[in-house]
Amino acid sequence: MLPKTAILSLFLILQNAAAQSPATPDLGARVLPSLVRLSIQKSDGGTASANGFLAVKDGVLAVPWHVVRDARSVVARFSSGEEYECSGIIDRDEKRNVALVRIKVFGKPVLKMDAREPAAGSALAVAAVKDGSFGMIGA
């Protein structure tokens, strides 16, 4: 599960994208190719999973810091089924529980950040990954 700060960031991205085109199927087609499901092998032998998204530029994922902090390996799976091993942490913000992770993938769409406050009563769309299925909730 994404941390609150990443969920808020993703909400703001989706809210801005929805303002440009409110049709949920179109929004999903633009957003879902940027999302990943992470499979994490921890250094203590345990496993974890989380969601992330391509951010900033090609090859950079925004992920929850607490799940990659003690990772031995991290594999990112896109909705297309493509899997890529993450090659390292670029930066982290422990206070906001977010990390930027390098992944060797190019040409996938990057979600654009939008720091504007959503207007009261704005339509809500949330990208979700559950049980290996990628989808959109709301409109």
Side-chain angles (χ1 to χ4, degrees):
M1 176 173 236
L2 284 170
K4 289 179 185 177
T5 54
I7 290 171
L8 178 60
S9 296
L10 188 53
F11 166 74
L12 292 174
I13 292 164
L14 295 175
Q15 192 268 340
N16 182 49
Q20 295 169 8
S21 176
T24 302
D26 181 50
L27 180 61
R30 290 192 331 250
V31 171
L32 294 178
S34 303
L35 300 182
V36 296
R37 182 68 176 169
L38 302 172
S39 297
I40 301 138
Q41 293 286 56
K42 301 294 239 171
S43 58
D44 65 3
T47 61
S49 60
N51 300 330
F53 58 93
L54 286 169
V56 185
K57 63 180 183 175
D58 263 346
V60 178
L61 291 173
V63 302
W65 165 243
H66 75 278
V67 294
V68 296
R69 174 180 31 228
D70 298 323
R72 182 179 330 139
S73 71
V74 178
V75 175
R77 186 177 64 80
F78 287 88
S79 61
S80 64
E82 297 170 285
E83 291 186 348
Y84 298 90
E85 190 161 334
C86 298
S87 56
I89 295 172
I90 299 167
D91 201 359
R92 68 183 185 274
D93 183 334
E94 294 179 38
K95 182 178 177 183
R96 292 180 178 86
N97 193 32
V98 67
L100 298 177
V101 175
R102 170 86 46 217
I103 182 173
K104 292 182 181 179
V105 65
F106 300 96
K108 296 267 187 198
V110 173
L111 291 179
K112 303 278 188 251
M113 297 291 191
D114 186 348
R116 291 180 292 171
E117 289 279 332
S122 294
L124 173 64
V126 176
V129 182
K130 182 173 176 153
D131 299 330
S133 295
F134 291 69
M136 299 295 293
I137 301 168

